[in-house]
């Protein structure tokens, strides 16, 4: 079954629905490790030393607090991990590195044209993650 579940959280309504799904699932699995992962979307780095987590981590923590609260209200103490970079790439990389059993992500709800033109994080994660992915709509 699932021993380590990653939940991608970003403060969106879809992220909150995904958090509720994980809360409901995790209550049924003894000893499951739940990790809330949030990616600070930063593509460009300057020449100076810059730590995105240090610069934006507190704001990101506040942004994801409602999702974390959903998990805690279900008696789940999630680990919280902040990453930075391109969200899909970082989620895929981190899930593989951590040997996650399941990656849960909310779907942004793009229409077919938007998804084709700009892509979606969930679509890229589905295509490239090595672990099972649950997309919550």
């Amino acid at each position: 079954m699932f021993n380590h579940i990653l939940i991608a959280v970003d403060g969106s309504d879809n992220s909150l629905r995904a958090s509720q799904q994980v809360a409901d699932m995790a209550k049924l699995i003894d000893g499951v490790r739940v990790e809330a992962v949030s990616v600070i979307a930063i593509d460009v780095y300057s020449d100076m030393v810059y730590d995105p987590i240090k610069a934006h981590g507190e704001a990101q923590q506040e942004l994801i607090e409602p999702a974390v609260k959903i998990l805690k209200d279900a008696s789940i103490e999630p680990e919280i991990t902040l990453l930075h970079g391109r969200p899909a790439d970082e989620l895929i990389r981190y899930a593989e590195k951590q040997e996650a059993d399941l990656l849960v992500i909310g779907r942004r709800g793009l229409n077919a044209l938007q998804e084709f033109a700009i892509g979606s994080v969930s679509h890229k994660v589905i295509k490239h993650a090595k672990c099972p992915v649950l997309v919550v709509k």
Side-chain angles (χ1 to χ4, degrees), residues 6-60:
L6 298 182
I7 168 75
V9 292
D10 63 6
S12 68
D13 288 342
N14 291 334
S15 172
L16 295 177
R17 282 192 292 279
S19 297
Q20 186 60 59
Q21 187 73 40
V22 168
D24 294 343
M25 287 174 33
K27 286 190 280 189
L28 304 173
I29 306 169
D30 285 336
V32 67
R33 177 179 163 209
V34 174
E35 190 171 358
V37 180
S38 188
V39 182
I40 299 169
I42 296 178
D43 285 335
V44 180
Y45 299 96
S46 66
D47 290 338
M48 61 189 208
V49 176
Y50 175 68
D51 181 351
I53 303 295
K54 193 173 205 176
H56 305 285
E58 192 172 308
Q60 196 74 9

Side-chain angles (χ1 to χ4, degrees), residues 68-81:
V68 172
K69 183 178 181 330
I70 288 170
L71 296 167
K72 287 183 176 183
D73 286 350
S75 300
I76 297 158
E77 276 301 320
E79 298 171 34
I80 298 170
T81 300

